DNA sequence: GTTCTTGCAAAATATTTGCAAGACG
DNA sequence: CGTCTTGCAAATATTTTGCAAGAAC
């Protein structure tokens, strides 16, 4: 699926982000991924790019609800949010599956997460599930 | 609750770890905590201590099933495992509650986590839940 | 004495900050 | 012009590795 530059710009604007060249490139790259990626992956996705700018772009994206950060235990990864996420409402209540073999991190947004009960006194705001195991590709090898 | 040095030694031995002075100190410190701690917390818990030795101690503890690492999104923390954990069977399937206000990370081992269903092809080995919100102490302030 | 552990130095990696130049309205 | 973004340099933080001295059995 090819997404036009205009579409990407519109999407950024809808999340109140000024659509600069760099931001469009990063968003385009992220949209092409089927898994969560780390900084080096994104860096390698372009010819030239400054690490610092990437960090800042990703921070902006995270704050505005474009992406969410995943702490995999072996480094931080980034993945696109649900389109309904925004600066005010940033919910990524879904399963992140980490393959213990190929180390891929995949957002399983379609998996239903049951409500969890927490002790009284605690106020739950959001939660995510980190699942580890062997992914579909690795288990057939 | 005060735990004798002998008890700590016995516990380390039962997990196949040679009980050195440093390891006993670290284990004792961890047992005194009601929340997950980071490297600096542990470092500050003793008078003298070398960061590298701590890293190695924690790595050993993690491999042998004494502690588990928690990636909180703002740094790594460590907490004691269930006593049934060992090098071979290392399951920390429970809720980690991160207070968005005081930033404390607490293991809610008593909370029941329902089974989750993952797509066919994926082999689930273990999972953990990261819950964020306001902890009991902060919500009464 | 052999093996494992520790401490120090240094390297490698990850992330943040300050600042000046450039882009854009 | 004023504001926001970018790129570079540098600072800071985090984690790992190599190696030699020391402790334990």
């Amino acid at each position: 699926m090819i997404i036009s530059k205009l579409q990407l710009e519109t999407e950024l604007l809808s999340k109140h982000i000024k659509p600069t060249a760099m931001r469009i490139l990063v968003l385009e790259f992220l949209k092409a991924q089927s898994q969560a990626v780390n900084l080096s992956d994104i860096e390698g996705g372009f010819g030239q790019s400054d690490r610092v700018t990437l960090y800042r772009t990703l921070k902006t994206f995270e704050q505005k609800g474009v992406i969410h950060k995943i702490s995999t235990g072996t480094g931080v990864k980034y993945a696109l949010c649900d389109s309904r996420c925004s600066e005010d409402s940033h919910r990524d209540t879904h399963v992140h599956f980490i393959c213990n073999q190929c180390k891929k991190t995949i957002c399983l947004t379609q998996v239903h997460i049951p409500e969890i009960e927490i002790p009284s006194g605690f106020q739950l705001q959001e939660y995510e599930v980190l699942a580890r195991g062997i992914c579909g590709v690795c288990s057939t090898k």
Side-chain angles (χ1 to χ4, degrees), chain A:
Chain A
M1 176 179 54
I2 293 170
I3 302 162
S4 74
K5 202 184 150 202
L6 183 61
Q7 270 182 288
L8 296 168
E9 282 185 3
T10 308
E11 187 166 335
L12 287 175
L13 283 171
S14 77
K15 303 223 173 170
H16 308 108
I17 302 170
K18 197 192 285 187
T20 66
M22 168 65 87
R23 288 169 180 168
I24 291 170
L25 270 176
V26 174
L27 181 59
E28 190 176 30
F29 178 81
L30 289 171
K31 278 193 180 289
Q33 308 305 311
S34 61
Q35 55 181 287
V37 293
N38 62 26
L39 196 87
S40 302
D41 295 329
I42 305 175
E43 232 184 341
F46 317 132
Q48 48 71 268
S49 69
D50 181 51
R51 213 183 215 95
V52 177
T53 306
L54 273 183
Y55 272 116
R56 284 194 274 227
T57 301
L58 293 170
K59 182 172 280 185
T60 302
F61 279 9
E62 199 196 351
Q63 286 168 345
K64 302 291 188 179
V66 178
I67 61 173
H68 57 280
K69 228 198 288 200
I70 308 159
S71 298
T72 65
T74 55
V76 174
K77 296 202 172 185
Y78 303 90
L80 288 175
C81 281
D82 189 279
S83 61
R84 285 164 296 183
C85 279
S86 72
E87 185 161 17
D88 307 310
S89 154
H90 206 331
R91 291 290 152 87
D92 298 291
T93 302
H94 61 247
V95 175
H96 292 131
F97 189 91
I98 301 169
C99 179
N100 283 329
Q101 201 161 322
C102 67
K103 302 300 175 194
K104 269 190 191 144
T105 301
I106 302 158
C107 293
L108 299 179
T109 48
Q110 74 279 24
V111 172
H112 169 71
I113 303 188
E115 285 295 315
I116 55 169
E117 278 180 45
I118 53 166
S120 65
F122 289 83
Q123 290 172 36
L124 184 62
Q125 291 175 337
E126 55 182 323
Y127 60 99
E128 67 177 298
V129 176
L130 268 190
R132 290 172 206 277
I134 307 294
C135 76
V137 176
C138 289
S139 60
T140 54
K141 273 179 194 160

